[in-house]
Amino acid sequence: MEDVAARAGVSRALVSLVMRGSPKVSEQRRSAVLAAAEELGYSPHLMARSLASATSTVLAAMVSDLNNAFFAEVVDGFDAAVTEQGFDLIINTGGRSPTRERRAVDNLLSFRPAGVALLGPVVPASTIAKAAEQSPLVLVSRASRLSTVDTINDDGEVGSGLAVDHLVELGHTHIAHLDGGGGSQASLRRKGYVAAMLRHGLDPLVVSSEYTDTAGARAVRGLIEAGGPLPTAIVAANDYNAVGAISALEDAGLRVPQDISVIGYDNTSLAALRHISLTTVDQPRHEMGRLAAQALIDRVRGRTDAVHQLLHPSLVVRATTAHRGGI
């Protein structure tokens, strides 16, 4: 930055203003600084800038699963809000592994960001508490009672209830739930399914699974191989789990929805593809990302009270559900 200032014939402070995009710099001086920077091959070092100014314009996000479009859509909203507010964004992933996620969080904190968002984390609560001591922290798709942590969630219990209610309205009484295992929000979706089944006087059937297409297919194959009566409808853990379940059903010669109806969760872009056309529970993914970014920015600007946003899901009916016994 000193070299750029000398080449442009301005102060180091003015170079700093230009690199931050400040409107307080005249167009003539801005052009001179940018031309000098290009000649010298200079680009700002975000971490060095933070250390030098004792402030940071960097927000960080740890994404639990890069294979799930839900997180990509949350990040899209997060990035839009971050950019609008003049912050920069760095992202990494934990691969749905508590060990990898702990390492990923530590790596993000080493950049001394202004705040950190954890999207669908599976790390222990102790890791979250420790991170919150070092930086403002917001969780998406994960609850927390810590006063130092903000949360953005949809109401997973209500969402699963909407799925069961829809299937009961279609005449289904033997409805299985492929659960999300230890995944974020899986226990709430499972709880909502069980509560809705009991409310309708039906017996719950929870099948162990995970938030992946592979796990969804494996769970369905297990039901088929067990040899008993198959459910007439399935409430899957998420959209990817549902797609895996549909694939396994079709491999076994069963038709969706004529033989078995299937509902996903999240309403990702995958669900809306015409050849999939998955009935699913919608989470406002873009809005969740924007709210997470704003929560961090408000913390940076002095808010101390915890904010817990609980958004209401809705059901999107497409082509994978039908009346019991066929369309």
Side-chain angles (χ1 to χ4, degrees):
M1 199 175 287
E2 294 285 0
D3 293 339
V4 172
R7 176 67 66 91
V10 300
S11 68
R12 183 185 184 283
L14 191 135
V15 174
S16 179
L17 287 173
V18 171
M19 293 306 167
R20 292 204 306 268
S22 171
K24 298 177 181 179
V25 183
S26 71
E27 192 56 41
Q28 181 180 0
R29 287 191 166 187
R30 185 187 309 279
S31 297
V33 168
L34 293 176
E38 185 174 357
E39 290 171 11
L40 294 171
Y42 169 80
S43 61
H45 191 300
L46 296 178
M47 188 173 180
R49 178 193 294 172
S50 299
L51 291 171
S53 63
T55 61
S56 176
T57 60
V58 174
L59 294 178
M62 191 283 294
V63 181
S64 178
D65 184 5
L66 288 179
N67 294 311
N68 190 337
F70 167 78
F71 293 112
E73 293 167 35
V74 172
V75 168
D76 189 47
F78 189 87
D79 178 60
V82 165
T83 302
E84 287 172 9
Q85 299 279 356
F87 286 79
D88 297 293
L89 175 62
I90 55 174
I91 301 174
N92 68 5
T93 183
R96 297 188 299 113
S97 160
T99 301
R100 282 192 59 193
E101 283 193 10
R102 188 181 297 111
R103 197 159 53 239
V105 172
D106 287 343
N107 287 339
L108 290 178
L109 290 171
S110 72
F111 286 91
R112 302 191 183 184
V116 176
L118 304 183
L119 312 184
V122 296
V123 291
S126 58
T127 299
I128 292 171
K130 182 179 176 182
E133 293 174 358
Q134 303 175 61
S135 172
L137 194 73
V138 63
L139 306 179
V140 176
S141 292
R142 170 79 180 259
S144 174
R145 296 180 180 178
L146 293 170
S147 62
T148 53
V149 175
D150 299 324
T151 60
I152 313 293
N153 291 295
D154 90 312
D155 194 328
E157 292 185 54
V158 169
S160 288
L162 291 173
V164 172
D165 290 346
H166 172 64
L167 292 170
V168 170
E169 288 173 4
L170 294 174
H172 296 277
T173 56
H174 190 189
I175 305 167
H177 174 52
L178 310 187
D179 81 356
S184 173
Q185 298 295 93
S187 62
L188 291 175
R189 295 177 190 180
R190 181 168 56 247
K191 182 178 179 182
Y193 158 80
V194 171
M197 292 290 285
L198 295 176
R199 174 162 45 84
H200 287 290
L202 303 175
D203 294 329
L205 173 60
V206 177
V207 181
S208 178
S209 192
E210 295 179 44
Y211 283 151
T212 66
D213 54 345
T214 302
R218 184 168 57 246
V220 164
R221 285 195 295 269
L223 285 171
I224 294 171
E225 291 167 2
L230 290 175
T232 63
I234 290 173
V235 176
N238 67 1
D239 291 347
Y240 283 82
N241 184 273
V243 169
I246 290 171
S247 178
L249 289 169
E250 292 178 344
D251 286 346
L254 295 164
R255 301 166 300 163
V256 176
Q258 293 91 337
D259 298 319
I260 298 182
S261 290
V262 178
I263 296 183
Y265 204 113
D266 289 339
N267 194 28
T268 58
S269 55
L270 175 73
L273 293 175
R274 186 174 59 82
H275 68 286
I276 296 177
S277 192
L278 178 68
T279 296
T280 185
V281 178
D282 178 71
Q283 295 192 74
R285 292 135 350 258
H286 194 271
E287 181 65 13
M288 292 171 80
R290 294 189 68 93
L291 289 171
Q294 192 60 55
L296 288 181
I297 292 167
D298 289 346
R299 285 275 190 181
V300 171
R301 293 173 177 168
R303 176 174 55 79
T304 56
D305 295 336
V307 168
H308 301 293
Q309 300 267 12
L310 188 63
L311 307 182
H312 197 82
S314 59
L315 186 71
V316 179
V317 179
R318 296 194 179 98
T320 59
T321 50
H323 284 87
R324 181 183 178 185
I327 298 175

